[in-house]
């Protein structure tokens, strides 16, 4: 007997914390499973970049850059093989 596995498509969002808590409050387990929560390092690096440059990048952009620079592994990022419009 085999289990029928459905894949859940995660999505990148800059309001990840709000999405996470909203899904919790609503009791929406499906929405909760779809939320991709980056490592805390991504949030810290994004804020440090903003404080130093005034540029606010998306979480996905910072996560991707950290991955490409070797600071994150494949299993720590959302869709590591997907091309991004801001370049690779």
């Amino acid at each position: 007997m085999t289990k029928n596995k459905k894949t859940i498509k995660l999505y990148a969002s800059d309001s990840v914390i709000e999405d996470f808590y909203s899904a919790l409050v609503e009791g929406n387990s499906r929405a909760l499973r779809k939320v991709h929560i980056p490592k805390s390092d991504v949030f810290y690096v994004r804020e440090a970049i903003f404080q130093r440059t005034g540029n606010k990048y998306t979480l996905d952009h910072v996560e991707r850059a950290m991955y490409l620079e070797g600071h994150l592994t494949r299993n720590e990022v959302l869709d590591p093989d997907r091309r991004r419009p801001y370049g690779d």
Side-chain angles (χ1 to χ4, degrees):
M1 184 185 231
T2 60
K3 278 189 158 183
N4 192 7
K5 287 188 177 180
K6 286 188 174 184
T7 59
I8 297 171
K9 186 69 176 163
L10 299 176
Y11 64 95
S13 171
D14 270 4
S15 58
V16 65
I17 302 301
E18 292 85 353
D19 295 344
F20 176 77
Y21 283 115
S22 177
L24 279 179
V25 168
E26 295 170 5
N28 188 341
S29 62
R30 185 180 175 126
L32 188 59
R33 286 191 303 265
K34 292 173 77 173
V35 175
H36 169 68
I37 302 173
K39 285 186 71 171
S40 60
D41 296 2
V42 176
F43 290 90
Y44 290 118
V45 168
R46 180 173 81 154
E47 184 61 23
I49 292 169
F50 176 68
Q51 292 297 320
R52 288 175 177 84
T53 68
N55 296 326
K56 185 110 179 189
Y57 294 100
T58 65
L59 289 169
D60 186 60
H61 196 148
V62 174
E63 182 180 67
R64 181 69 174 170
M66 290 176 69
Y67 168 66
L68 292 174
E69 292 174 6
H71 298 286
L72 299 173
T73 62
R74 289 182 62 79
N75 65 338
E76 295 174 318
V77 300
L78 178 64
D79 301 328
D81 298 321
R82 181 174 50 90
R83 307 259 327 159
R84 306 308 202 273
Y86 39 80
D88 285 335

